Amino acid sequence: MKTKTGWIMLMLLVAVMYASAQPLQDNFYVKVLHEELQRNIKRLKLPDLERPFFIAYNLSNHYNLELNAERGIITSTVSEPVNRKVFAVKLRVGDYHRNFDYMINDVYSVLLPHEEDADEYRRLIWLETDKAYKNNARQYTAFMSSLKRVNVDPKELALDDLSIITPLTQDFGAATPIVIDTDKWKERLKRLSTLFNEHADITTSYCRLSMNSAEEYLVTSEGTTIRKPKGHVTFTAYGALMQEDGSSISHTYSLIVKNIHELPSFDSLETAVKQLISTLRNKQKAKPFEGSYIGPVLLEGDAVHGIIQSCFTSNLQVKRKPIIGYGMPDVDYEEKLGQKLVASALTVTAIPSLKVFEGKKTTGAYEVDNEGVRPPDSLVLIQHGVLRSLLNGRTPTHKFPVSQGFSASVFGSNTYSPGVLRLTSDSIASADSMKSRLLQLAKEEGLPYAYIIKGLRRYGNDTEIYRVNVATGEEEMINECEVLPLNIRSLRRFIVASDKTMLRNYADLSIIAPQSMIINEVEIEKSRNATKPKPFIVSNPLLEPSPSKAVKKKIKK
């Protein structure tokens, strides 16, 4: 089995090296995409419907290997990388001025066969393109008809719907081959997952290694032809248990890096899993929160990166107002340019070109966005608290008429990404003094307690909150509480940040931020969840004596 796996890895490596050495125009996927695109852009036309003026083909050639272990047993069924090829088409009729691109959230995609058969690929591409044209042309006609029945601000009508770009032809590289000592990592995962065996009441647990590598192709009717690589490696450990009252407790440790060599040593991973188990135990013993709290809070680690991700990555984006008047953006940040959004000490910068930070590779860095536009090396979004710019793509607005190269959408809704986002502060204190600063602030407000939040997950129940006695500095974990949602406005009450920074990688995003920060007037309330699942009817078999073991003991006697 080991020989077979090694042979498959070798063949994959050779195939990728061969593909990398080819000129881009000779690449199999590029040739198929280009030939079918040219055929359709010339010949697609139905009576009484507009011709397409723009077609873009995207092909994702993705490799994934996932190894999973539960309680010392490998549960994943595949030990070699799995290859998936997904094709998607974006088609627009009309012209650059009017095509309603920003109002149409359509996705036409199909899974391509593993075998590289040009005729079969072209057939599937043709079918999706035909579907995209018919639907888009009808939608365009309906929108144009609606425009005749409404009054629209002339300034909005004057805006183009899609900005013109300079076509780019460049090969940024092929997918990185997934090369791994499978047997070695299976053994590691088995040993790590065995750590849960001593805790039979932890009913669900696993340790997982996931490796992802892909090459993204973009071929458009404008002349853009690019290939770019993507990839990351994730180690995840998870544990969950149900308490006697039916409530569940869970906790996750997750680490994402650019390649497998950047993962910590086995001893470090073992320590992380043991800490996860310890956190679960602490959550079991944690006292329920009572009353309510408004005051200073110290955010640490994942909690810091969580609030930065939720506040900035989705908000600091251009959002065009639909000219037909539905689907208006919740907040128009373009109108807030030049205004103070957060505390004057804070600056937020997008740095898509940053590939390495303090010796660690970022997973968010990129050289060209998903629309074929090169981004700037960096873009200051917020400077000393004041909003200076926004992320955008090819949807023109009054203050952002051209793309800056931050598109992260794959022919669905218009989404944008900074790639690498960094938050810095002019107000800093030593990492060791942050807790004492928190207690000093609470004492000045006459509060008997302050709170430290070490984990603040938007999904799941990985929130980790500690109550700190202002008089003694003693910490105790609490549960059954909720931190009222923190938003950009919350950061106007920012006080101070740690002088140490850390990098946190996500799948296609990297955040660089202080290790901790203090925000004032954060609200914590008792959990409002009035319902809980029913507890298990039959007790956990691992918590009772095994009948088979009892029989064996009698036989020995």
Side-chain angles (χ1 to χ4, degrees):
M1 182 65 184
K2 188 174 182 179
T3 304
K4 179 184 176 183
T5 301
W7 176 251
I8 291 173
M9 297 293 186
L10 177 61
M11 292 299 291
L12 176 61
L13 178 61
V14 171
V16 171
M17 290 177 64
Y18 174 73
S20 300
Q22 279 185 313
L24 191 58
Q25 63 269 22
D26 295 334
N27 179 281
F28 169 79
Y29 303 113
V30 170
K31 290 175 69 175
V32 170
L33 294 174
H34 184 267
E35 289 172 4
E36 195 58 25
L37 189 148
Q38 291 303 316
R39 202 172 70 91
N40 281 279
I41 195 71
K42 293 174 182 176
R43 296 166 59 178
L44 271 176
K45 180 69 173 74
L46 282 174
D48 303 323
L49 291 178
E50 295 281 339
R51 282 184 178 275
F53 82 98
F54 174 83
I55 299 178
Y57 285 163
N58 175 279
L59 191 151
S60 175
N61 188 18
H62 181 263
Y63 298 89
N64 170 260
L65 174 62
E66 188 168 284
L67 302 176
N68 194 81
E70 299 179 21
R71 301 182 63 82
I73 299 171
I74 296 296
T75 57
S76 48
T77 57
V78 179
S79 298
E80 293 87 30
V82 175
N83 180 222
R84 293 177 75 251
K85 300 178 179 72
V86 180
F87 165 80
V89 56
K90 173 177 178 176
L91 182 149
R92 294 292 179 259
V93 301
D95 53 34
Y96 284 98
H97 176 63
R98 187 65 66 233
N99 53 75
F100 305 100
D101 175 64
Y102 67 101
M103 294 172 57
I104 301 174
N105 299 327
D106 54 355
V107 180
Y108 301 97
S109 62
V110 64
L111 188 66
L112 299 176
H114 178 70
E115 184 177 346
E116 295 179 350
D117 185 309
D119 288 342
E120 181 61 11
Y121 278 28
R122 290 181 63 183
R123 184 185 71 85
L124 293 169
I125 291 170
W126 161 68
L127 287 172
E128 288 303 309
T129 306
D130 183 80
K131 187 192 306 180
Y133 169 64
K134 291 172 180 174
N135 291 342
N136 193 268
R138 293 189 184 104
Q139 202 163 12
Y140 171 83
T141 302
F143 281 152
M144 289 298 289
S145 177
S146 297
L147 269 182
K148 297 176 182 178
R149 299 193 295 270
V150 295
N151 291 321
V152 182
D153 185 340
K155 292 181 180 179
E156 297 298 325
L157 278 176
L159 284 172
D160 290 342
D161 287 350
L162 190 68
S163 64
I164 298 174
I165 63 171
T166 302
L168 175 66
T169 298
Q170 188 165 345
D171 189 354
F172 293 94
T176 302
I178 293 180
V179 179
I180 178 179
D181 188 334
T182 307
D183 292 340
K184 175 183 174 181
W185 271 98
K186 281 185 176 181
E187 186 59 32
R188 284 184 175 183
L189 293 171
K190 285 166 66 175
R191 289 174 59 189
L192 291 170
S193 65
T194 302
L195 295 173
F196 290 97
N197 289 6
E198 298 177 12
H199 309 273
D201 59 329
I202 298 179
T203 53
T204 305
S205 64
Y206 61 78
C207 291
R208 178 179 299 158
L209 178 72
S210 178
M211 301 182 68
N212 294 275
S213 182
E215 53 191 17
E216 305 278 350
Y217 293 87
L218 176 66
V219 177
T220 76
S221 56
E222 298 170 314
T224 290
T225 302
I226 61 174
R227 174 176 68 169
K228 61 177 181 176
K230 295 174 66 176
H232 61 275
V233 176
T234 307
F235 173 81
T236 307
Y238 174 81
L241 56 84
M242 181 177 283
Q243 301 192 98
E244 292 182 359
D245 63 355
S247 60
S248 61
I249 297 174
S250 68
H251 200 70
T252 305
Y253 169 81
S254 180
L255 179 64
I256 299 177
V257 295
K258 189 66 178 176
N259 60 62
I260 196 167
H261 307 295
E262 293 185 285
L263 284 176
S265 65
F266 175 82
D267 290 344
S268 297
L269 293 176
E270 184 179 49
T271 299
V273 176
K274 288 179 178 179
Q275 181 59 47
L276 183 154
I277 295 171
S278 176
T279 301
L280 279 174
R281 291 296 177 220
N282 290 337
K283 286 185 175 183
Q284 269 187 305
K285 296 180 287 187
K287 295 180 180 179
F289 179 84
E290 298 292 342
S292 63
Y293 176 82
I294 302 179
V297 162
L298 173 60
L299 300 169
E300 294 183 349
D302 282 352
V304 175
H305 290 89
I307 186 175
I308 293 173
Q309 184 183 22
S310 62
C311 286
F312 298 122
T313 57
S314 61
N315 287 320
L316 301 186
Q317 302 183 1
V318 167
K319 296 178 181 178
R320 172 89 168 261
K321 300 174 183 177
I323 56 177
I324 297 181
Y326 61 88
M328 300 293 287
D330 295 332
V331 179
D332 186 359
Y333 281 97
E334 193 166 334
E335 295 298 322
K336 297 181 182 296
L337 288 168
Q339 297 181 18
K340 182 179 176 181
L341 282 189
V342 298
S344 300
L346 298 177
T347 294
V348 180
T349 308
I351 321 175
S353 63
L354 187 64
K355 296 182 178 181
V356 179
F357 176 75
E358 295 185 351
K360 296 180 179 179
K361 294 182 179 179
T362 62
T363 56
Y366 63 91
E367 296 179 86
V368 63
D369 76 355
N370 287 0
E371 293 177 324
V373 180
R374 289 181 181 272
D377 288 341
S378 64
L379 177 67
V380 176
L381 300 171
I382 294 176
Q383 185 177 41
H384 303 306
V386 177
L387 182 63
R388 295 300 183 191
S389 191
L390 296 171
L391 305 175
N392 80 318
R394 295 186 63 180
T395 299
T397 61
H398 294 291
K399 296 179 182 178
F400 297 91
V402 298
S403 173
Q404 298 179 100
F406 290 98
S407 173
S409 58
V410 183
F411 308 152
S413 59
N414 291 324
T415 57
Y416 311 106
S417 171
V420 180
L421 190 71
R422 181 166 190 178
L423 181 141
T424 57
S425 170
D426 294 335
S427 174
I428 58 174
S430 66
D432 296 336
S433 69
M434 292 295 286
K435 181 177 176 180
S436 60
R437 289 291 298 271
L438 171 71
L439 297 180
Q440 179 185 350
L441 287 167
K443 187 175 182 179
E444 290 172 357
E445 294 188 25
L447 298 169
Y449 298 100
Y451 289 84
I452 299 175
I453 303 176
K454 297 186 178 181
L456 188 60
R457 301 293 179 96
R458 288 182 291 172
Y459 309 106
N461 61 348
D462 285 338
T463 300
E464 191 178 341
I465 303 180
Y466 295 83
R467 181 166 58 197
V468 189
N469 189 302
V470 172
T472 64
E474 182 181 351
E475 298 178 22
E476 62 174 346
M477 184 183 284
I478 59 168
N479 61 16
E480 297 186 24
C481 61
E482 296 178 0
V483 179
L484 267 61
L486 298 172
N487 51 35
I488 289 182
R489 194 177 296 109
S490 305
L491 291 175
R492 295 176 72 94
R493 305 188 295 273
F494 165 84
I495 303 295
V496 66
S498 162
D499 58 355
K500 292 184 179 180
T501 57
M502 64 181 293
L503 166 69
R504 172 71 172 177
N505 280 323
Y506 299 87
D508 295 307
L509 172 71
S510 300
I511 294 177
I512 301 168
Q515 288 185 355
S516 60
M517 64 169 61
I518 295 175
I519 301 175
N520 208 349
E521 297 180 28
V522 175
E523 296 184 61
I524 302 175
E525 293 184 350
K526 188 174 179 60
S527 176
R528 287 168 285 184
N529 186 6
T531 61
K532 296 178 181 178
K534 289 283 188 181
F536 294 116
I537 299 173
V538 180
S539 61
N540 186 337
L542 301 183
L543 294 174
E544 295 184 356
S546 172
S548 58
K549 290 182 180 179
V551 170
K552 287 181 180 178
K553 286 182 179 180
K554 288 182 179 180
I555 292 174
K556 286 182 180 180
K557 289 181 179 181

